[in-house]
Amino acid sequence: MPSAQDPFYVVKEEIQESIDKLQSTFRQWEKAADAGEQSNLSKEVLTSCESIEWQVDELDKAISVASRDPSWYSIDEVELENRRRWTSDARTQVSTAKKAVEAGKGSNIANNASLNGMHRELMRLPNSHQTTSAQNATQHNDDFIESESDRQMLLIKRQDEELDELSISVQRIGGVGLTIHEELLAQEKIIDELGNEMDSTSNRLDFVQKKVAMVMKKASAKGQIMMILGLLALFILLFILVFFT
């Protein structure tokens, strides 16, 4: 259902204000005793009638455009009929005032009965219109509030579902992060153990090198060569043991 911010209701309110002003001027015209004053009021009434008729015509054109595809404008056939009825009532009110003023031009007091009848018709239409408008406005407001309430409930439900999905995603990411942390700790431990083994092997090699140097000083040239070959074989053996076991 249309809301209070619907352009139709904005224009409708402006036109209704013009009609109310027209009725006030029309009552002054009826009560005017001076011919000059009545003439001025007649011009003012007729000018207002032309202006309001033009506005109502434009509003009718907008209604015709909306009737081609009501769903696009979020309205239904009932709303379109209410809008057409309102413009019809407004046009009748303006036409009644216009005819009364035009009939009063150049006429004498004998026309008062006819003018009074027109006045009563003019006064009767707004009351009926206002009652219908008030009922329609109340119904529109109730429908709008109900629609907004349903939309808010649906929005809250969707937000709850999105929050649940987000919570599950966060838990999944947390589990992956914990697994990565455990893997990093295990790799760090392996690297520390390898470093310790490398330090131990290096210390052993330093010790052997020192011993070999002492032995080589005491051994002959031939013995030194044999010692070098033996140490080389021992080094190769240690290298194989360290890196392939």
mmCIF file of all heavy atoms in Angstrom, residues 6 10 14 27 31-32 38 51 54 70 76 79 95 113 116-117 133 165 170 184 213 215 233 237 244:
data_model
loop_
_atom_site.group_PDB
_atom_site.id
_atom_site.type_symbol
_atom_site.label_atom_id
_atom_site.label_comp_id
_atom_site.label_asym_id
_atom_site.label_seq_id
_atom_site.Cartn_x
_atom_site.Cartn_y
_atom_site.Cartn_z
ATOM 1 N N ASP A 6 3.920 9.175 -0.662
ATOM 2 C CA ASP A 6 3.542 8.976 -2.054
ATOM 3 C C ASP A 6 3.308 10.349 -2.690
ATOM 4 O O ASP A 6 2.598 11.189 -2.146
ATOM 5 C CB ASP A 6 2.263 8.142 -2.109
ATOM 6 C CG ASP A 6 1.979 7.662 -3.526
ATOM 7 O OD1 ASP A 6 1.988 8.514 -4.437
ATOM 8 O OD2 ASP A 6 1.752 6.465 -3.703
ATOM 9 N N VAL A 10 1.020 13.991 -1.684
ATOM 10 C CA VAL A 10 1.615 15.328 -1.536
ATOM 11 C C VAL A 10 0.855 16.331 -2.395
ATOM 12 O O VAL A 10 0.459 17.411 -1.938
ATOM 13 C CB VAL A 10 3.103 15.290 -1.923
ATOM 14 C CG1 VAL A 10 3.696 16.704 -1.870
ATOM 15 C CG2 VAL A 10 3.881 14.366 -0.997
ATOM 16 N N GLU A 14 -1.933 19.527 -1.448
ATOM 17 C CA GLU A 14 -1.839 20.895 -1.962
ATOM 18 C C GLU A 14 -3.143 21.308 -2.655
ATOM 19 O O GLU A 14 -3.621 22.436 -2.476
ATOM 20 C CB GLU A 14 -0.665 20.985 -2.940
ATOM 21 C CG GLU A 14 0.697 20.783 -2.284
ATOM 22 C CD GLU A 14 1.822 20.820 -3.294
ATOM 23 O OE1 GLU A 14 1.526 20.901 -4.509
ATOM 24 O OE2 GLU A 14 2.999 20.748 -2.876
ATOM 25 N N ARG A 27 -17.623 31.716 -0.132
ATOM 26 C CA ARG A 27 -18.546 32.190 0.914
ATOM 27 C C ARG A 27 -18.513 33.709 1.022
ATOM 28 O O ARG A 27 -19.545 34.358 1.240
ATOM 29 C CB ARG A 27 -18.186 31.530 2.245
ATOM 30 C CG ARG A 27 -18.599 30.062 2.332
ATOM 31 C CD ARG A 27 -18.484 29.542 3.761
ATOM 32 N NE ARG A 27 -17.099 29.482 4.194
ATOM 33 C CZ ARG A 27 -16.325 28.408 4.062
ATOM 34 N NH1 ARG A 27 -16.809 27.302 3.482
ATOM 35 N NH2 ARG A 27 -15.081 28.405 4.487
ATOM 36 N N LYS A 31 -21.659 36.478 0.376
ATOM 37 C CA LYS A 31 -22.082 37.464 1.372
ATOM 38 C C LYS A 31 -21.793 38.904 0.936
ATOM 39 O O LYS A 31 -22.199 39.846 1.628
ATOM 40 C CB LYS A 31 -21.386 37.186 2.700
ATOM 41 C CG LYS A 31 -21.756 35.828 3.297
ATOM 42 C CD LYS A 31 -20.966 35.583 4.572
ATOM 43 C CE LYS A 31 -21.285 34.210 5.166
ATOM 44 N NZ LYS A 31 -20.508 33.939 6.403
ATOM 45 N N ALA A 32 -21.048 39.060 -0.141
ATOM 46 C CA ALA A 32 -20.654 40.418 -0.570
ATOM 47 C C ALA A 32 -21.897 41.213 -0.993
ATOM 48 O O ALA A 32 -22.703 40.762 -1.817
ATOM 49 C CB ALA A 32 -19.659 40.339 -1.719
ATOM 50 N N GLN A 38 -17.923 42.112 -4.995
ATOM 51 C CA GLN A 38 -18.373 40.833 -5.541
ATOM 52 C C GLN A 38 -17.683 40.535 -6.876
ATOM 53 O O GLN A 38 -17.342 39.395 -7.180
ATOM 54 C CB GLN A 38 -19.885 40.840 -5.713
ATOM 55 C CG GLN A 38 -20.459 39.458 -6.050
ATOM 56 C CD GLN A 38 -21.956 39.474 -6.125
ATOM 57 O OE1 GLN A 38 -22.530 40.277 -6.871
ATOM 58 N NE2 GLN A 38 -22.604 38.603 -5.361
ATOM 59 N N SER A 51 -7.036 27.201 -11.948
ATOM 60 C CA SER A 51 -5.786 26.653 -11.442
ATOM 61 C C SER A 51 -5.989 25.242 -10.872
ATOM 62 O O SER A 51 -5.218 24.323 -11.146
ATOM 63 C CB SER A 51 -5.213 27.576 -10.363
ATOM 64 O OG SER A 51 -4.038 27.013 -9.794
ATOM 65 N N TRP A 54 -6.662 22.635 -13.571
ATOM 66 C CA TRP A 54 -5.419 22.233 -14.237
ATOM 67 C C TRP A 54 -4.642 21.225 -13.387
ATOM 68 O O TRP A 54 -4.149 20.210 -13.904
ATOM 69 C CB TRP A 54 -4.563 23.474 -14.509
ATOM 70 C CG TRP A 54 -3.242 23.125 -15.162
ATOM 71 C CD1 TRP A 54 -3.014 22.912 -16.483
ATOM 72 C CD2 TRP A 54 -1.992 22.937 -14.493
ATOM 73 N NE1 TRP A 54 -1.701 22.605 -16.698
ATOM 74 C CE2 TRP A 54 -1.045 22.609 -15.491
ATOM 75 C CE3 TRP A 54 -1.575 23.014 -13.167
ATOM 76 C CZ2 TRP A 54 0.281 22.350 -15.188
ATOM 77 C CZ3 TRP A 54 -0.249 22.753 -12.864
ATOM 78 C CH2 TRP A 54 0.668 22.435 -13.866
ATOM 79 N N PRO A 70 0.214 -1.012 -12.182
ATOM 80 C CA PRO A 70 0.063 -0.659 -10.758
ATOM 81 C C PRO A 70 1.140 -1.267 -9.866
ATOM 82 O O PRO A 70 1.587 -0.642 -8.903
ATOM 83 C CB PRO A 70 -1.325 -1.216 -10.400
ATOM 84 C CG PRO A 70 -2.035 -1.324 -11.717
ATOM 85 C CD PRO A 70 -0.990 -1.649 -12.718
ATOM 86 N N ASP A 76 -2.696 -0.946 -5.890
ATOM 87 C CA ASP A 76 -3.604 -1.932 -6.453
ATOM 88 C C ASP A 76 -4.808 -1.217 -7.077
ATOM 89 O O ASP A 76 -4.901 0.014 -7.077
ATOM 90 C CB ASP A 76 -4.049 -2.927 -5.375
ATOM 91 C CG ASP A 76 -4.599 -2.217 -4.149
ATOM 92 O OD1 ASP A 76 -5.033 -1.050 -4.275
ATOM 93 O OD2 ASP A 76 -4.593 -2.817 -3.052
ATOM 94 N N GLU A 79 -6.828 1.084 -4.701
ATOM 95 C CA GLU A 79 -6.199 2.389 -4.499
ATOM 96 C C GLU A 79 -6.397 3.288 -5.716
ATOM 97 O O GLU A 79 -6.672 4.487 -5.588
ATOM 98 C CB GLU A 79 -4.707 2.198 -4.225
ATOM 99 C CG GLU A 79 -3.889 3.479 -4.155
ATOM 100 C CD GLU A 79 -4.291 4.384 -3.005
ATOM 101 O OE1 GLU A 79 -4.973 3.889 -2.072
ATOM 102 O OE2 GLU A 79 -3.949 5.571 -3.032
ATOM 103 N N SER A 95 -16.254 22.687 -10.113
ATOM 104 C CA SER A 95 -17.267 23.000 -11.132
ATOM 105 C C SER A 95 -18.488 23.673 -10.518
ATOM 106 O O SER A 95 -19.055 24.612 -11.102
ATOM 107 C CB SER A 95 -17.676 21.716 -11.848
ATOM 108 O OG SER A 95 -18.689 21.956 -12.785
ATOM 109 N N ALA A 113 -31.871 31.798 -4.405
ATOM 110 C CA ALA A 113 -32.300 30.437 -4.058
ATOM 111 C C ALA A 113 -31.456 29.411 -4.794
ATOM 112 O O ALA A 113 -31.019 28.407 -4.236
ATOM 113 C CB ALA A 113 -33.780 30.258 -4.397
ATOM 114 N N ASN A 116 -27.965 29.427 -3.388
ATOM 115 C CA ASN A 116 -27.920 28.730 -2.097
ATOM 116 C C ASN A 116 -27.920 27.218 -2.286
ATOM 117 O O ASN A 116 -27.277 26.470 -1.556
ATOM 118 C CB ASN A 116 -29.109 29.161 -1.238
ATOM 119 C CG ASN A 116 -28.967 30.584 -0.740
ATOM 120 O OD1 ASN A 116 -27.851 31.091 -0.646
ATOM 121 N ND2 ASN A 116 -30.089 31.239 -0.440
ATOM 122 N N GLY A 117 -28.703 26.767 -3.297
ATOM 123 C CA GLY A 117 -28.700 25.333 -3.566
ATOM 124 C C GLY A 117 -27.328 24.857 -4.008
ATOM 125 O O GLY A 117 -26.847 23.803 -3.591
ATOM 126 N N SER A 133 -11.951 10.266 2.579
ATOM 127 C CA SER A 133 -10.497 10.437 2.645
ATOM 128 C C SER A 133 -9.957 9.996 3.998
ATOM 129 O O SER A 133 -8.903 9.368 4.086
ATOM 130 C CB SER A 133 -10.133 11.899 2.380
ATOM 131 O OG SER A 133 -10.556 12.276 1.098
ATOM 132 N N GLU A 165 25.328 -17.957 10.413
ATOM 133 C CA GLU A 165 26.310 -18.390 9.415
ATOM 134 C C GLU A 165 27.682 -17.795 9.707
ATOM 135 O O GLU A 165 28.709 -18.461 9.559
ATOM 136 C CB GLU A 165 25.838 -17.980 8.023
ATOM 137 C CG GLU A 165 24.576 -18.712 7.570
ATOM 138 C CD GLU A 165 24.092 -18.236 6.205
ATOM 139 O OE1 GLU A 165 24.740 -17.312 5.661
ATOM 140 O OE2 GLU A 165 23.101 -18.778 5.705
ATOM 141 N N VAL A 170 33.302 -18.284 11.721
ATOM 142 C CA VAL A 170 34.344 -17.890 12.679
ATOM 143 C C VAL A 170 34.880 -19.101 13.422
ATOM 144 O O VAL A 170 36.098 -19.251 13.639
ATOM 145 C CB VAL A 170 33.780 -16.841 13.663
ATOM 146 C CG1 VAL A 170 34.776 -16.589 14.795
ATOM 147 C CG2 VAL A 170 33.502 -15.532 12.944
ATOM 148 N N LEU A 184 52.954 -25.527 13.514
ATOM 149 C CA LEU A 184 54.136 -24.666 13.655
ATOM 150 C C LEU A 184 54.958 -25.043 14.895
ATOM 151 O O LEU A 184 56.196 -25.054 14.859
ATOM 152 C CB LEU A 184 53.699 -23.206 13.732
ATOM 153 C CG LEU A 184 53.139 -22.596 12.437
ATOM 154 C CD1 LEU A 184 52.632 -21.185 12.691
ATOM 155 C CD2 LEU A 184 54.202 -22.578 11.347
ATOM 156 N N ALA A 213 95.085 -33.998 14.706
ATOM 157 C CA ALA A 213 96.240 -33.106 14.593
ATOM 158 C C ALA A 213 97.360 -33.537 15.531
ATOM 159 O O ALA A 213 98.548 -33.514 15.158
ATOM 160 C CB ALA A 213 95.805 -31.689 14.891
ATOM 161 N N VAL A 215 97.885 -36.583 16.655
ATOM 162 C CA VAL A 215 98.458 -37.851 16.181
ATOM 163 C C VAL A 215 99.363 -37.617 14.993
ATOM 164 O O VAL A 215 100.426 -38.226 14.841
ATOM 165 C CB VAL A 215 97.323 -38.833 15.829
ATOM 166 C CG1 VAL A 215 97.885 -40.084 15.167
ATOM 167 C CG2 VAL A 215 96.559 -39.204 17.079
ATOM 168 N N ALA A 233 87.577 -41.411 5.647
ATOM 169 C CA ALA A 233 86.564 -42.480 5.631
ATOM 170 C C ALA A 233 85.628 -42.335 6.834
ATOM 171 O O ALA A 233 84.406 -42.514 6.729
ATOM 172 C CB ALA A 233 87.246 -43.850 5.626
ATOM 173 N N LEU A 237 81.624 -41.631 6.778
ATOM 174 C CA LEU A 237 80.718 -42.497 7.524
ATOM 175 C C LEU A 237 79.836 -41.692 8.472
ATOM 176 O O LEU A 237 78.618 -41.908 8.544
ATOM 177 C CB LEU A 237 81.525 -43.543 8.309
ATOM 178 C CG LEU A 237 80.692 -44.509 9.177
ATOM 179 C CD1 LEU A 237 79.759 -45.333 8.295
ATOM 180 C CD2 LEU A 237 81.609 -45.425 9.977
ATOM 181 N N PHE A 244 71.432 -39.379 6.819
ATOM 182 C CA PHE A 244 70.593 -40.432 6.220
ATOM 183 C C PHE A 244 69.982 -41.340 7.252
ATOM 184 O O PHE A 244 69.438 -42.398 6.926
ATOM 185 C CB PHE A 244 71.414 -41.260 5.238
ATOM 186 C CG PHE A 244 71.845 -40.499 4.009
ATOM 187 C CD1 PHE A 244 73.076 -39.870 3.951
ATOM 188 C CD2 PHE A 244 70.973 -40.366 2.927
ATOM 189 C CE1 PHE A 244 73.442 -39.164 2.830
ATOM 190 C CE2 PHE A 244 71.350 -39.658 1.818
ATOM 191 C CZ PHE A 244 72.585 -39.050 1.741
#
